[in-house]
Structures are given as structure tokens and as C-alpha cells.
């Protein structure tokens, strides 16, 4: 499995992804799910990927190859993030078309999905979710974020807290709590966590880092969150209808 | 969908279930998922059910009919909760055997699962999870609770907080938070919430009630939890590596 989040906030974009991949519980590896395609001052494009690793990697390899060696519109020439999301969906469809019949013969799922976000000079930061089928949707102020992979465990905290007005700082903390909830419940989502912050109109990556499992701040998040939730339950008044404890 | 929780704590048992059932988004109804079979001073048996409503209802109808009119070992004569869980699994298998071929012809999923818990005089309170196939497992101190239905959204809070030493009061509050997180994220889980508390060795239901969507206490839980989570994020120190905001 995988867990990735992308947020499109007024301050900028935030991306986070786990690094666990497996072909069965007896074949677990590390593989980052985040790729960055950037030209300082012109564009920052970030992809997060979930699903079959050979499909996602090779779709991105294809995009990179064409961006560097192709004649047509590639990631570095696209005039909008809409064009970028189209390129990602098309590349994924192309790889699936090539590989899926062989995978299906062996009962292997070739599906894959992407979060694609960034800013191309001349337009605001944008964020897209590219579905398994290669079609895609864009974020909007009502739902300024997308998740892919194991989305359910970490969704409630995002639902409750994130708005387009959330600061990148608040969103970063919220994303790490969301990752911690997910990693506790699904072993196939695992550290390190890749984080990337992009400040609106900067046209360069503001911050990119990798948090290992024993990262001091990640441990602080875990401890603080556990204490806070316990405290929140303790300070929640008991219902009037709750019977008294045993005599 | 459905969401049900059963907890087996040192103080006793707690059961909670939602009341939404649907045959498509254009056919949404209310249907409680909790059934109680009790003889005061002798036994309290509680079932929570998820899955195909005709299968779960009729498995329980069959159990009830046999308990009241049968000659064999029924719910009111079973000598242990192990026997009770076996009866539930067998009844579900029987109904599936009868109905599943007709449902499958129409592409309808006939799967169903149960949480079965309670206490039969002479043994401690016990809690079981009856799988789709009719086999079952029992709770243990490492995992003193089971969920069925839409389990993921509401799992992190249980993971973080519940231990066998949790009080019924704490567990009740935690269960309601878990339900609130789930109902926010999945429309097919909905109020009212049925709650049942059973105190160890009392051999009678301690408390049973139904919380409607506009219940004052449920609203208090929602408001308190939102405030507490926001506050928990605000009081979480920012990481040292987070870049300063825009100048």
C-alpha cells in the first residue's frame, strides 16, 4: 500500500508521502513515492504515486525521458498544470496499455493513481488527482486536498482541521498526525515520510526533507498527539445518562 | 454500510451501532443493527450486525425462533458464549446457503458479519467476531475490541486510547468520537446511534439508549472534539526545520 497527501492552501502547496512498497508481506522494500520536476523561477511540479510500482515508476520515467529528449510538449514545456496532469494521465495509460495484459495473466493488479501539483509561471498553484483510468479532477476550496492509497485512517483529522486558510505550518503538523494514524493501523504504510513545502509564487521548492521512523520531531508528534487525545477524552464531560460505576 | 463496535473491558462490555441501511443512495432507511437476548440473572447476549440486511435479520430471526420454539440448544440454553457464537455463525451460514444463489444471480452481495458478546452465568463476559464465512475469533487483552462495517475512519482513536483497563465511561466517550469521525466521512453510516453498556457479572443490561443526530450530548462531543483537536495541533511545537513564513 501507500499513503500520500497533497494540499492546496492559500500559502502554498504541501506534499507528503510514505516510502513502503511490498510484493507480499515477505517482500517489503523502501521506495519513495515523490518525484519533483522543477526549473527554478519557472515551474515546480511534484508527483505522488500509489498503486503498482512498475506502472507508476515507468509512467514517470516516460515523462522524464520525453521531457529531456522529446520534441513535443513535455513536463518542462507545458504551459499549465492542466497540461501537466494530462501528460501524467496519458503516460500512465500508455504504460498500462503496454504492461497490463501481461500482469493480468498472472492476476496482478496494474492500477495506479497520482496526485500532481505545482505551479507553472503565469498561473496560480494547482493540485490534481489522476485516477486509475487516467482522467483527473482538480482541488477546490471546498476540498483543498487529495489523498491516495490507504486514505481512510488519516482522513478524519484532515476533515476536521484543514481549510484553504490553514497555514503551511499547521498543515504540516496535521499531515504528520494523519501519517502517524495511518502507519499505526496499516503496516504496509511506512516511514520514512517525504515532505515537500512549496510557497505560493516562489517558483522554487521551499523545503524538502525526509523523516525517518526515529526522527525526534516525529516522536514528539506521536507523544503529544497521544497525550492530547487522552486529555481531550478526559475533559469531555460524561453524559448525564451514564450510570454510576460499580458500588 | 454500517458501523458497529464491541469492547470487552475489565469493567464490562460496551456495544455501539449505527442505524443506516441502504439499497443504493436513493433507497436509504433506518434499521438498528443491535439485538439483545437476555434472561435477567442468567445471561445477556448482544449481537451487532453488518452486511446484507436480509441475511443478518433472518439469521437472527432463525436464532430467535429456535430459541423460543426449538428443542435443541438455543440462545437461551447455550452454556457458554462460545456456543452462542457457534450458533450465530451456523445460522448465518444456513441463511446464506438458502438465499445466496438467488442473490448472486442478480449480482447482489450476500455477505454479512457479526459482533457477538455477552455473559452467560458461570463464565466471564466474552466478545466474538463472526466473519463472513461463519468462523469466528474471540477478543483478547491485546485487542479488547472489534469493529465491523466501515471500520477505518474510526479506528485510530480506538487504537490510541482503549485498553482493557479503560473505564466504561471512557470507552463510551471514545466510541462516540469514533462514530462521529466515521459518520463525517461515510454518508452510509448514520444516526441514531444505539448504545448498550453491560457491567461485568451483573447479568442484566446496565444501560441501553439511542442517540438521535440532534442529541445534545452528541453535539457536545462533536464541538469538544473539534476544539480539542485544533488546540492539540496549535500546542504541538513546530519543527525546527520548518522555514519561516513569507516575509
Amino acid at each position: 500500500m501507500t499513503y500520500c497527501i497533497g494540499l492546496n492552501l492559500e500559502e502554498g502547496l504541501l506534499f507528503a508521502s510514505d516510502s513502503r512498497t511490498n510484493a507480499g508481506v515477505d517482500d517489503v522494500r523502501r521506495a519513495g513515492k515523490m518525484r519533483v520536476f522543477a526549473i527554478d523561477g519557472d515551474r515546480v511540479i511534484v508527483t505522488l504515486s500509489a498503486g503498482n510500482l512498475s506502472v507508476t515508476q515507468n509512467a514517470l520515467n516516460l515523462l522524464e525521458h520525453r521531457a529531456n529528449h522529446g520534441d513535443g510538449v513535455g513536463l518542462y514545456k507545458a504551459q499549465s498544470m492542466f497540461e501537466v496532469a494530462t501528460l501524467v494521465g496519458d503516460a500512465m495509460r500508455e504504460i498500462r496499455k503496454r504492461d497490463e495484459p501481461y500482469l493480468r495473466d498472472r492476476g496482478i493488479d496494474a492500477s495506479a493513481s497520482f496526485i500532481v501539483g505545482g505551479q507553472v509561471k503565469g498561473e496560480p498553484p494547482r493540485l490534481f488527482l489522476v485516477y486509475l483510468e487516467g482522467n483527473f479532477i482538480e482541488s477546490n476550496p471546498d476540498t483543498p486536498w487529495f489523498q491516495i492509497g490507504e486514505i481512510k485512517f488519516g482522513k478524519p483529522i484532515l476533515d476536521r482541521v484543514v481549510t484553504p486558510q490553514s497555514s503551511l505550518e499547521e498543515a504540516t503538523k496535521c499531515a504528520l498526525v494523519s501519517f502517524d494514524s495511518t502507519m499505526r493501523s496499516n503496516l504496509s504504510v511506512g516511514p520514512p515520510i517525504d515532505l515537500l513545502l512549496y510557497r505560493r509564487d516562489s517558483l522554487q521548492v521551499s523545503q524538502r526533507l525526509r523523516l525517518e521512523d526515529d526522527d525526534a520531531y516525529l516522536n514528539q508528534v506521536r507523544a503529544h498527539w497521544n497525550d492530547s487525545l487522552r486529555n481531550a477524552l478526559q475533559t469531555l464531560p460524561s453524559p448525564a445518562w451514564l450510570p454510576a460505576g460499580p458500588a
Side-chain angles (χ1 to χ4, degrees), chain A:
Chain A
M1 206 78 179
T2 282
Y3 184 41
C4 301
I5 319 178
L7 299 95
N8 186 3
L9 310 171
E10 291 182 359
E11 270 192 26
L13 300 164
L14 173 68
F15 301 89
S17 57
D18 86 311
S19 304
R20 189 155 291 170
T21 182
N22 75 86
V25 289
D26 55 350
D27 187 6
V28 173
R29 296 156 190 261
R30 277 166 66 135
K33 324 285 172 77
M34 181 185 290
R35 288 277 280 271
V36 182
F37 303 90
I39 302 171
D40 276 5
D42 181 67
R43 68 191 56 211
V44 170
I45 298 166
V46 181
T47 65
L48 306 174
S49 52
N52 185 295
L53 187 63
S54 78
V55 171
T56 57
Q57 278 189 351
N58 286 314
L60 292 167
N61 286 339
L62 193 64
L63 285 167
E64 190 175 43
H65 179 82
R66 286 181 183 161
N68 291 325
H69 306 291
D71 294 329
V73 175
L75 291 180
Y76 297 125
K77 290 183 187 158
Q79 292 175 301
S80 69
M81 284 302 298
F82 163 69
E83 272 195 313
V84 168
T86 308
L87 289 170
V88 172
D90 286 350
M92 197 253 283
R93 286 172 172 168
E94 197 172 329
I95 297 294
R96 283 188 72 165
K97 193 171 175 188
R98 192 188 70 186
D99 287 348
E100 192 158 24
Y102 297 89
L103 297 173
R104 198 178 276 158
D105 267 359
R106 305 281 300 169
I108 297 170
D109 184 7
S111 63
S113 58
F114 292 87
I115 291 172
V116 184
Q119 184 169 16
V120 172
K121 195 175 181 175
E123 62 170 25
R126 298 172 74 179
L127 185 71
F128 295 86
L129 172 66
V130 181
Y131 289 114
L132 309 177
E133 296 77 14
N135 57 331
F136 54 83
I137 58 173
E138 186 168 5
S139 72
N140 64 73
D142 290 323
T143 310
W145 44 272
F146 290 125
Q147 303 166 287
I148 52 175
E150 175 55 278
I151 66 172
K152 292 188 178 182
F153 298 116
K155 185 165 181 283
I157 181 66
L158 299 172
D159 274 334
R160 290 179 191 272
V161 171
V162 174
T163 71
Q165 291 74 43
S166 299
S167 68
L168 279 173
E169 179 186 330
E170 190 182 25
T172 300
K173 296 193 282 185
C174 185
L176 292 179
V177 170
S178 179
F179 267 80
D180 184 42
S181 292
T182 306
M183 294 192 300
R184 272 170 178 266
S185 291
N186 188 332
L187 275 185
S188 72
V189 177
I193 300 171
D194 287 322
L195 268 179
L196 189 148
L197 280 79
Y198 173 79
R199 289 198 181 275
R200 173 182 288 265
D201 297 335
S202 66
L203 295 171
Q204 59 182 18
V205 172
S206 302
Q207 184 86 353
R208 186 181 182 183
L209 74 166
R210 171 164 273 203
L211 302 183
E212 295 287 346
D213 195 29
D214 60 352
D215 179 82
Y217 184 66
L218 207 51
N219 282 330
Q220 191 179 7
V221 170
R222 290 178 183 129
H224 178 88
W225 204 251
N226 277 331
D227 291 349
S228 298
L229 292 198
R230 285 214 177 77
N231 188 51
L233 272 188
Q234 272 161 14
T235 56
L236 173 63
S238 288
W241 41 256
L242 202 70

